[in-house]
């Protein structure tokens, strides 16, 4: 029986950095920017606070990395179904980076700016997929619905959205998205 290959120091460093970043995303998503401390992130990652500072330099830099939003791609095909597929991903797997930004954007300027940048790109993608003269308004409504569903499901938990199966939510939204995306 052969032994598994030993991890190099570089791999160990990348793993540690990734573990800290994952813990930071979870902590910022739960507590927001103001209430998150380097010590809390370190405890969640199972490292000491000095190591967090070594990898990220400051709370601000850690937040910037944790809040970096990946651009959303709109799958090809029917715009309504493509948008529902994107929403399904958010409903089935907690969008932690998005939650970091959404929880913090009202009290932290960098989070608000990051959200605006990502939202602008996303709105342009939606708008380009909608074959209607008022595509910009329709894209804004679709984006607002998607954001509202995510905020209620993961942050506010005010309604049954928090526990509802993704299929049920998507079935109810399908006619709305079809109408807004110009399919009807």
């Amino acid at each position: 029986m052969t032994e598994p290959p030993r991890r190099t120091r570089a791999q160990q460093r990348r793993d540690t950095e990734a573990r800290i970043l994952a813990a930071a995303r979870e902590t910022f998503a739960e507590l927001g920017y103001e209430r998150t401390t380097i010590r809390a992130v370190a405890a969640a990652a199972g490292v000491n606070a000095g190591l967090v500072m070594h990898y990220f330099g400051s709370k601000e830099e850690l937040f910037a990395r944790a809040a970096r939003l990946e651009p959303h791609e709109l799958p090809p095909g029917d715009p309504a179904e493509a948008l529902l597929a994107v929403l399904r991903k958010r409903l089935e797997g907690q969008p932690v980076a998005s939650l970091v930004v959404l929880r913090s954007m009202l009290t932290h300027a960098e989070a608000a700016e990051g959200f605006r940048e990502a939202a602008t790109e996303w709105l342009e993608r939606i708008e380009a997929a909608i074959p209607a003269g008022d595509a910009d308004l329709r894209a804004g409504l679709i984006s607002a619905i998607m954001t509202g569903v995510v905020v209620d499901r993961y942050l506010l938990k005010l309604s049954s959205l928090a526990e509802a199966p993704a299929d049920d939510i998507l079935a109810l939204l399908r006619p709305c998205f079809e109408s807004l995306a110009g399919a009807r």
Side-chain angles (χ1 to χ4, degrees):
M1 183 184 273
T2 61
E3 290 185 31
R6 289 191 60 186
R7 304 209 32 89
T8 67
R9 285 186 187 197
Q11 290 169 322
Q12 291 172 355
R13 283 192 298 272
R14 284 191 299 274
D15 290 348
T16 300
E17 183 177 4
R19 193 169 71 247
I20 293 168
L21 190 55
R25 283 189 176 121
E26 292 290 335
T27 307
F28 282 123
E30 181 182 337
L31 302 175
Y33 180 83
E34 299 301 323
R35 292 183 21 220
T36 295
T37 64
I38 294 295
R39 287 178 194 230
V41 171
V47 300
N48 66 47
L51 197 56
V52 175
M53 297 304 286
H54 171 75
Y55 280 102
F56 296 95
S58 67
K59 178 179 171 181
E60 189 67 32
E61 181 58 29
L62 178 61
F63 178 81
R65 292 273 308 278
R68 191 169 295 145
L69 296 173
E70 297 297 320
H72 294 293
E73 294 299 325
L74 195 58
D78 174 53
E81 289 304 318
L83 289 160
L84 289 167
V86 170
L87 183 55
R88 176 181 293 284
K89 283 184 186 177
R90 293 180 182 175
L91 294 173
E92 291 178 342
Q94 191 175 45
V96 180
S98 294
L99 296 176
V100 168
V101 173
L102 290 169
R103 179 162 313 269
S104 301
M105 67 186 226
L106 298 177
T107 60
H108 192 265
E110 186 173 316
E113 184 57 32
F115 182 79
R116 272 191 290 281
E117 287 174 14
T120 299
E121 287 180 34
W122 177 233
L123 283 169
E124 289 170 356
R125 287 189 178 113
I126 297 172
E127 187 178 339
I130 297 175
D134 59 351
D136 58 335
L137 178 58
R138 291 169 182 257
L141 287 168
I142 290 168
S143 178
I145 291 167
M146 292 174 78
T147 300
V149 167
V150 169
V151 166
D152 190 287
R153 184 175 183 90
Y154 295 110
L155 298 179
L156 300 176
K157 300 178 184 181
L158 293 174
S159 71
S160 59
L161 275 175
E163 301 299 326
D167 286 338
D168 292 356
I169 295 168
L170 297 173
L172 290 170
L173 286 175
R174 182 167 276 106
C176 177
F177 277 40
E178 288 172 348
S179 177
L180 288 171
R184 284 191 170 179

